[in-house]
Amino acid sequence: MKIAKYPVKYKYRIARLVSDVFSLGLAVLIVSVTTYFLQSYEDMLKRIGTDNVEILTERYNSGLEWQRWLALIFPALVLALFAAYIILTLKSHPFKRYNVTKLNAQECWNVYALCASLCKIPALMGIFDVMYIFHQNMLGVNESPFSLQLILDAIIIAIIIRLGMHRISSITEPVAETEKKSEDTVKVRINPAPHARGAEKRDNGQEDKK
């Protein structure tokens, strides 16, 4: 994989490792809750009874029996999110708007991979929140589809992306011309000519006699 035209290595740092482990924990939680919901829903239908389920299906909800399988959408979203994360961190990126060099390419990739990993966390929290709303509505609780948590998750993702772009921009910022000139300037010490030093000594001697 490459950043701009420079090859980079797939490296793990502590911050990204912690982020990935936490994201994996959220993913396991979502899958576990989905499994528990499907089992609980199946038990609820058994308690209601087959005859009553048919009556409820005909009069109130035609999808009472099969709608529970829509809960599998959420583990599928988690899987898709992790697949997108892996693809984004393994593919090459042109980074045309940045002044990427061979020296800063690896650091740019490290920042990019960390931001991609951090974005998974609010995205998974948003999936969990929507899943909770879906489960509540399926169990007969009229839960509002609107959630402030989703707005907060979107804002957090936008902040992470913006901070990552700013960090990459600062890494790839070209050195100012004035700094280059000061670094390239060679200080030359000019020694006075011998006859000038002699004249200076004679002047000093005359001043001492006075």
Side-chain angles (χ1 to χ4, degrees), residues 49-62:
T50 305
D51 296 336
N52 293 328
V53 169
E54 291 178 357
I55 294 172
L56 292 173
T57 301
E58 292 175 359
R59 294 185 179 182
Y60 302 103
N61 187 358
S62 60

PDB file of all heavy atoms in Angstrom, residues 49-62:
ATOM      1  N   GLY A  49     -48.862 -18.381  22.085  1.00  0.00           N
ATOM      2  CA  GLY A  49     -49.553 -19.531  21.516  1.00  0.00           C
ATOM      3  C   GLY A  49     -49.743 -19.376  20.018  1.00  0.00           C
ATOM      4  O   GLY A  49     -49.925 -18.252  19.507  1.00  0.00           O
ATOM      5  N   THR A  50     -49.758 -20.482  19.334  1.00  0.00           N
ATOM      6  CA  THR A  50     -49.861 -20.452  17.876  1.00  0.00           C
ATOM      7  C   THR A  50     -51.164 -19.828  17.414  1.00  0.00           C
ATOM      8  O   THR A  50     -51.193 -19.010  16.483  1.00  0.00           O
ATOM      9  CB  THR A  50     -49.733 -21.883  17.310  1.00  0.00           C
ATOM     10  OG1 THR A  50     -48.527 -22.477  17.780  1.00  0.00           O
ATOM     11  CG2 THR A  50     -49.726 -21.855  15.789  1.00  0.00           C
ATOM     12  N   ASP A  51     -52.284 -20.212  18.055  1.00  0.00           N
ATOM     13  CA  ASP A  51     -53.588 -19.687  17.649  1.00  0.00           C
ATOM     14  C   ASP A  51     -53.665 -18.176  17.850  1.00  0.00           C
ATOM     15  O   ASP A  51     -54.159 -17.448  16.977  1.00  0.00           O
ATOM     16  CB  ASP A  51     -54.699 -20.376  18.440  1.00  0.00           C
ATOM     17  CG  ASP A  51     -54.769 -21.859  18.130  1.00  0.00           C
ATOM     18  OD1 ASP A  51     -54.321 -22.256  17.027  1.00  0.00           O
ATOM     19  OD2 ASP A  51     -55.256 -22.616  18.991  1.00  0.00           O
ATOM     20  N   ASN A  52     -53.197 -17.708  18.979  1.00  0.00           N
ATOM     21  CA  ASN A  52     -53.248 -16.268  19.256  1.00  0.00           C
ATOM     22  C   ASN A  52     -52.311 -15.494  18.317  1.00  0.00           C
ATOM     23  O   ASN A  52     -52.609 -14.362  17.934  1.00  0.00           O
ATOM     24  CB  ASN A  52     -52.863 -16.004  20.710  1.00  0.00           C
ATOM     25  CG  ASN A  52     -53.887 -16.540  21.686  1.00  0.00           C
ATOM     26  OD1 ASN A  52     -55.095 -16.576  21.375  1.00  0.00           O
ATOM     27  ND2 ASN A  52     -53.441 -16.963  22.857  1.00  0.00           N
ATOM     28  N   VAL A  53     -51.176 -16.100  17.991  1.00  0.00           N
ATOM     29  CA  VAL A  53     -50.257 -15.443  17.059  1.00  0.00           C
ATOM     30  C   VAL A  53     -50.911 -15.268  15.702  1.00  0.00           C
ATOM     31  O   VAL A  53     -50.785 -14.210  15.056  1.00  0.00           O
ATOM     32  CB  VAL A  53     -48.950 -16.256  16.934  1.00  0.00           C
ATOM     33  CG1 VAL A  53     -48.108 -15.741  15.768  1.00  0.00           C
ATOM     34  CG2 VAL A  53     -48.143 -16.178  18.218  1.00  0.00           C
ATOM     35  N   GLU A  54     -51.661 -16.276  15.263  1.00  0.00           N
ATOM     36  CA  GLU A  54     -52.358 -16.166  13.981  1.00  0.00           C
ATOM     37  C   GLU A  54     -53.415 -15.071  14.021  1.00  0.00           C
ATOM     38  O   GLU A  54     -53.585 -14.322  13.052  1.00  0.00           O
ATOM     39  CB  GLU A  54     -52.997 -17.515  13.630  1.00  0.00           C
ATOM     40  CG  GLU A  54     -51.974 -18.602  13.304  1.00  0.00           C
ATOM     41  CD  GLU A  54     -52.639 -19.916  13.003  1.00  0.00           C
ATOM     42  OE1 GLU A  54     -53.900 -19.983  13.105  1.00  0.00           O
ATOM     43  OE2 GLU A  54     -51.925 -20.884  12.664  1.00  0.00           O
ATOM     44  N   ILE A  55     -54.120 -14.974  15.156  1.00  0.00           N
ATOM     45  CA  ILE A  55     -55.142 -13.923  15.282  1.00  0.00           C
ATOM     46  C   ILE A  55     -54.494 -12.541  15.257  1.00  0.00           C
ATOM     47  O   ILE A  55     -54.963 -11.624  14.569  1.00  0.00           O
ATOM     48  CB  ILE A  55     -55.943 -14.122  16.592  1.00  0.00           C
ATOM     49  CG1 ILE A  55     -56.754 -15.416  16.516  1.00  0.00           C
ATOM     50  CG2 ILE A  55     -56.864 -12.932  16.833  1.00  0.00           C
ATOM     51  CD1 ILE A  55     -57.428 -15.784  17.823  1.00  0.00           C
ATOM     52  N   LEU A  56     -53.409 -12.392  16.011  1.00  0.00           N
ATOM     53  CA  LEU A  56     -52.707 -11.102  16.029  1.00  0.00           C
ATOM     54  C   LEU A  56     -52.125 -10.757  14.655  1.00  0.00           C
ATOM     55  O   LEU A  56     -52.124  -9.584  14.252  1.00  0.00           O
ATOM     56  CB  LEU A  56     -51.580 -11.142  17.070  1.00  0.00           C
ATOM     57  CG  LEU A  56     -52.010 -11.222  18.543  1.00  0.00           C
ATOM     58  CD1 LEU A  56     -50.799 -11.436  19.441  1.00  0.00           C
ATOM     59  CD2 LEU A  56     -52.761  -9.958  18.938  1.00  0.00           C
ATOM     60  N   THR A  57     -51.667 -11.773  13.949  1.00  0.00           N
ATOM     61  CA  THR A  57     -51.099 -11.542  12.626  1.00  0.00           C
ATOM     62  C   THR A  57     -52.164 -11.082  11.657  1.00  0.00           C
ATOM     63  O   THR A  57     -51.938 -10.172  10.837  1.00  0.00           O
ATOM     64  CB  THR A  57     -50.440 -12.840  12.111  1.00  0.00           C
ATOM     65  OG1 THR A  57     -49.426 -13.246  13.021  1.00  0.00           O
ATOM     66  CG2 THR A  57     -49.829 -12.618  10.736  1.00  0.00           C
ATOM     67  N   GLU A  58     -53.360 -11.672  11.735  1.00  0.00           N
ATOM     68  CA  GLU A  58     -54.435 -11.309  10.810  1.00  0.00           C
ATOM     69  C   GLU A  58     -55.021  -9.937  11.127  1.00  0.00           C
ATOM     70  O   GLU A  58     -55.344  -9.172  10.221  1.00  0.00           O
ATOM     71  CB  GLU A  58     -55.545 -12.369  10.870  1.00  0.00           C
ATOM     72  CG  GLU A  58     -55.116 -13.720  10.308  1.00  0.00           C
ATOM     73  CD  GLU A  58     -56.199 -14.765  10.486  1.00  0.00           C
ATOM     74  OE1 GLU A  58     -57.265 -14.419  11.068  1.00  0.00           O
ATOM     75  OE2 GLU A  58     -55.993 -15.927  10.071  1.00  0.00           O
ATOM     76  N   ARG A  59     -55.130  -9.591  12.397  1.00  0.00           N
ATOM     77  CA  ARG A  59     -55.836  -8.365  12.777  1.00  0.00           C
ATOM     78  C   ARG A  59     -54.912  -7.145  12.920  1.00  0.00           C
ATOM     79  O   ARG A  59     -55.324  -6.033  12.602  1.00  0.00           O
ATOM     80  CB  ARG A  59     -56.583  -8.589  14.085  1.00  0.00           C
ATOM     81  CG  ARG A  59     -57.716  -9.609  13.971  1.00  0.00           C
ATOM     82  CD  ARG A  59     -58.475  -9.686  15.277  1.00  0.00           C
ATOM     83  NE  ARG A  59     -59.587 -10.646  15.204  1.00  0.00           N
ATOM     84  CZ  ARG A  59     -60.432 -10.877  16.213  1.00  0.00           C
ATOM     85  NH1 ARG A  59     -60.280 -10.236  17.381  1.00  0.00           N
ATOM     86  NH2 ARG A  59     -61.395 -11.754  16.067  1.00  0.00           N
ATOM     87  N   TYR A  60     -53.722  -7.342  13.428  1.00  0.00           N
ATOM     88  CA  TYR A  60     -52.889  -6.200  13.801  1.00  0.00           C
ATOM     89  C   TYR A  60     -51.573  -6.099  13.019  1.00  0.00           C
ATOM     90  O   TYR A  60     -51.228  -5.038  12.501  1.00  0.00           O
ATOM     91  CB  TYR A  60     -52.593  -6.244  15.309  1.00  0.00           C
ATOM     92  CG  TYR A  60     -53.833  -6.232  16.154  1.00  0.00           C
ATOM     93  CD1 TYR A  60     -54.292  -7.407  16.753  1.00  0.00           C
ATOM     94  CD2 TYR A  60     -54.560  -5.071  16.357  1.00  0.00           C
ATOM     95  CE1 TYR A  60     -55.440  -7.411  17.534  1.00  0.00           C
ATOM     96  CE2 TYR A  60     -55.703  -5.057  17.138  1.00  0.00           C
ATOM     97  CZ  TYR A  60     -56.135  -6.229  17.718  1.00  0.00           C
ATOM     98  OH  TYR A  60     -57.285  -6.238  18.480  1.00  0.00           O
ATOM     99  N   ASN A  61     -50.841  -7.168  12.964  1.00  0.00           N
ATOM    100  CA  ASN A  61     -49.497  -7.088  12.382  1.00  0.00           C
ATOM    101  C   ASN A  61     -49.232  -8.327  11.551  1.00  0.00           C
ATOM    102  O   ASN A  61     -49.019  -9.419  12.090  1.00  0.00           O
ATOM    103  CB  ASN A  61     -48.445  -6.957  13.493  1.00  0.00           C
ATOM    104  CG  ASN A  61     -47.053  -6.699  12.949  1.00  0.00           C
ATOM    105  OD1 ASN A  61     -46.846  -6.644  11.738  1.00  0.00           O
ATOM    106  ND2 ASN A  61     -46.091  -6.539  13.839  1.00  0.00           N
ATOM    107  N   SER A  62     -49.221  -8.138  10.248  1.00  0.00           N
ATOM    108  CA  SER A  62     -49.028  -9.292   9.360  1.00  0.00           C
ATOM    109  C   SER A  62     -47.598  -9.824   9.398  1.00  0.00           C
ATOM    110  O   SER A  62     -47.354 -10.957   8.985  1.00  0.00           O
ATOM    111  CB  SER A  62     -49.396  -8.904   7.916  1.00  0.00           C
ATOM    112  OG  SER A  62     -48.564  -7.838   7.472  1.00  0.00           O
TER     113      SER A  62
END
